Amino acid sequence: QGADVGSRGEGASLMPRFYPNNHGATIGSEVSFSPRGDGFKLRRRDPDTMEYAPTAPYETSGTVLWPSMPMTALKAFWGLAVTADVPTGTDVKLQISTNGGTTWQWWNGSAWAVTAGVDAASIADTSANIATLSVGSRSPRVRAYLSTSDTDLSPSVQGVCLLVELLQEPQRDAEDSLC
C-alpha cells in the first residue's frame, strides 16, 4: 500500500497522496485519457467521422481536474511531483485548491494568489512553492491546463503526487491510494 517517507516532528509524518489519472479525474471535451500510458493529452474531433481522435491535429488547450482528497489530519504541504511530457511548443500549468475546488490558487511569481480565471503556474514553480501554501480547509485538489501552439504536438500528464505532512499517522483503508 505504501510507506511513510519520513518524519518532520513528533507525531507528524510525511505521506504521499496520489491522484490516479483514471480514478475520478474530470476532463474537458478537449482532453482524452489514454490507458496505454500516455496519460491525459489534448484531442481533436476528426472532421470525417465527427469522433474524437487521440492524434494530431490536437486541440490548442484543455483542462484536467483531479478529485478532491479531504484529509482532516493535514498539517502542511511538503512537495508536489508531476509526471508529464511537455514537448517544445506545449505547456502544462497548474492551480491548487485547498477547499475542494471552491476557490483556486496559483503561484504568481511571488505569492499564492486566488484566481477566478485561468491564471496558473508552471509545474516547476508550483512544485517549488507548494510548501508555502496554507492547507485551508484540508481538502486539496489539483487542476492542470494543457496547451499547445503546434497542433501536431500535445503535452501529456501521467500522474500527480502530492506530498503532505500529517498531524498523526492516518488510519489506512482500501480507499487510500499512496504513491
Side-chain angles (χ1 to χ4, degrees):
Q1 280 273 15
D4 290 350
V5 292
S7 179
R8 292 181 46 144
E10 190 171 323
S13 62
L14 294 179
M15 297 297 294
R17 296 293 175 176
F18 183 59
Y19 292 89
N21 284 334
N22 57 357
H23 189 282
T26 305
I27 57 177
S29 62
E30 316 82 8
V31 176
S32 65
F33 175 74
S34 170
R36 298 180 315 222
D38 293 339
F40 291 106
K41 294 181 82 167
L42 295 170
R43 66 178 177 180
R44 178 103 181 186
R45 188 180 298 268
D46 184 318
D48 296 327
T49 65
M50 297 308 287
E51 298 291 324
Y52 280 107
T55 58
Y58 295 104
E59 293 283 348
T60 57
S61 64
T63 305
V64 181
L65 180 64
W66 280 269
S68 177
M69 187 170 287
M71 291 183 263
T72 57
L74 179 59
K75 180 177 180 183
F77 296 110
W78 182 74
L80 176 72
V82 178
T83 305
D85 181 24
V86 187
T88 301
T90 71
D91 203 5
V92 175
K93 294 199 179 259
L94 302 174
Q95 292 178 343
I96 308 290
S97 174
T98 59
N99 56 16
T102 302
T103 58
W104 291 92
Q105 297 182 67
W106 69 294
W107 181 257
N108 69 9
S110 59
W112 288 98
V114 174
T115 179
V118 295
D119 296 318
S122 69
I123 293 171
D125 285 346
T126 304
S127 297
N129 294 288
I130 193 74
T132 64
L133 180 62
S134 168
V135 297
S137 64
R138 296 177 168 82
S139 191
R141 193 167 192 188
V142 176
R143 179 162 46 197
Y145 290 97
L146 286 66
S147 64
T148 185
S149 59
D150 179 349
T151 58
D152 287 333
L153 297 173
S154 173
S156 64
V157 177
Q158 295 83 34
V160 174
C161 186
L162 185 61
L163 290 167
V164 299
E165 183 177 357
L166 300 176
L167 296 170
Q168 59 197 26
E169 181 69 21
Q171 293 287 69
R172 293 193 180 134
D173 60 28
E175 300 282 335
D176 272 348
S177 293
L178 302 176
C179 293

